[in-house]
Amino acid sequence: MLFTTPLLTLLAVAAGLVDAAPKLAHRAPTKILLVSDSTAVAYDPAVTPLQGWGYYLPPLLSTSMNFTNLSRGGRSTRSFINEGLWASALALITPDTVVVIEHGHNDNGTPSTGTDVGKDRATLPGLGDATITVTNATGLPEVVHTFGWYLERMISDVQDHGGVPVLSGMVPTMKWDSAQTTLSSDWPFRDWARTVAEAQGVGWVDHTKASVARFQKLGYSASKAMFPQDNTHTNAAGALLNAESFVEAVGCNGPLSWIVKC
């Protein structure tokens, strides 16, 4: 399978050979698959106070859209693919199925070093064709690629199966400044995902920006109360906020407006 590298595609865009704006015609809504991590997982409210934003998304989507949440806790682009979860997702694609891909939380780190030992989920930062060969938890060598490379593979796979790939920026963690007045605006995985989406001419949802704005408006104390166990995972209120911010980021006048309820 061939993927166009971000650099070559961006050069083509600059030269006017490729249109940077995604061409997403209005289609008859069919179904949407969400591929993400624990921040989007639907948890049982009777078991845990945590909740992922995918739990609250269905009522906010177009009424004729069939929604399936395939998010899995602790997964990155790399481990989602390597564990066979991605192959299972691809098997569900029918023509014009929208596949929303939102990753980044677990792609951070150094492959097979430190906290990644035994987890095999860290990717190389950034874009391009850089690789590193590591010995993974199975004892076998594995070639690890950049975050952007894995996103490009996912885009290519979805398109090969007749689906519509959409990249989404990861929801923010509670990364505030020392004065607890400003939520961070520095989200590298969001920036890399956006660059890949623009270079590949696929849908982009700036979920990060929309959620940051919502939490910033609430302020530190009210926002932090929505993260009962750590700075990453929300309770029900935080999950609902992130679901609503996804719809806000899609918008009612954009190229993907047909997937949400406006």
Side-chain angles (χ1 to χ4, degrees):
M1 183 177 295
L2 298 176
F3 330 118
T4 305
T5 64
L7 177 58
L8 291 177
T9 307
L10 287 172
L11 288 174
V13 169
L17 300 177
V18 177
D19 187 351
K23 296 182 176 65
L24 298 173
H26 181 94
R27 306 168 188 263
T30 53
K31 62 182 179 181
I32 180 170
L33 308 180
L34 175 60
V35 173
S36 188
D37 51 41
S38 58
T39 61
V41 165
Y43 297 99
D44 183 350
V47 175
T48 175
L50 300 181
Q51 194 53 268
W53 64 273
Y55 181 84
Y56 289 106
L57 191 58
L60 305 177
L61 297 174
S62 171
T63 54
S64 56
M65 185 70 73
N66 185 333
F67 174 72
T68 302
N69 188 351
L70 301 175
S71 303
R72 190 70 67 89
R75 271 53 174 197
S76 64
T77 52
R78 171 189 168 197
S79 61
F80 205 95
I81 292 171
N82 288 348
E83 293 178 19
L85 299 172
W86 182 236
S88 297
L90 293 175
L92 298 177
I93 295 176
T94 54
D96 292 343
T97 295
V98 175
V99 183
V100 176
I101 302 164
E102 181 174 306
H103 277 287
H105 287 286
N106 299 309
D107 288 82
N108 198 21
T110 304
S112 294
T113 301
T115 58
D116 193 53
V117 173
K119 296 181 179 178
D120 296 334
R121 61 188 190 184
T123 60
L124 294 179
L127 311 172
D129 294 326
T131 62
I132 183 174
T133 301
V134 302
T135 300
N136 61 28
T138 68
L140 298 174
E142 178 188 349
V143 178
V144 179
H145 302 267
T146 64
F147 177 64
W149 186 94
Y150 287 104
L151 289 181
E152 284 199 321
R153 169 173 171 178
M154 287 178 150
I155 289 170
S156 179
D157 286 348
V158 171
Q159 292 173 332
D160 286 347
H161 283 73
V164 181
V166 174
L167 298 190
S168 178
M170 57 181 255
V171 291
T173 58
M174 288 290 94
K175 189 168 66 172
W176 294 75
D177 63 6
S178 58
Q180 298 180 346
T181 58
T182 305
L183 185 57
S184 178
S185 60
D186 181 23
W187 306 99
F189 286 95
R190 172 262 187 196
D191 297 340
W192 295 328
R194 179 174 184 171
T195 298
V196 171
E198 291 177 346
Q200 296 294 317
V202 301
W204 164 248
V205 178
D206 202 342
H207 197 184
T208 313
K209 182 179 179 180
S211 285
V212 166
R214 290 284 298 272
F215 285 123
Q216 181 64 58
K217 185 176 181 179
L218 287 174
Y220 174 80
S221 296
S223 296
K224 189 65 174 71
M226 297 181 181
F227 292 76
Q229 294 185 1
D230 55 31
N231 289 320
T232 301
H233 301 93
T234 57
N235 61 13
L240 179 58
L241 182 152
N242 280 331
E244 291 174 343
S245 68
F246 176 82
V247 174
E248 291 172 7
V250 170
C252 289
N253 297 308
L256 289 168
S257 61
W258 52 278
I259 72 171
V260 299
K261 190 179 294 181
C262 291

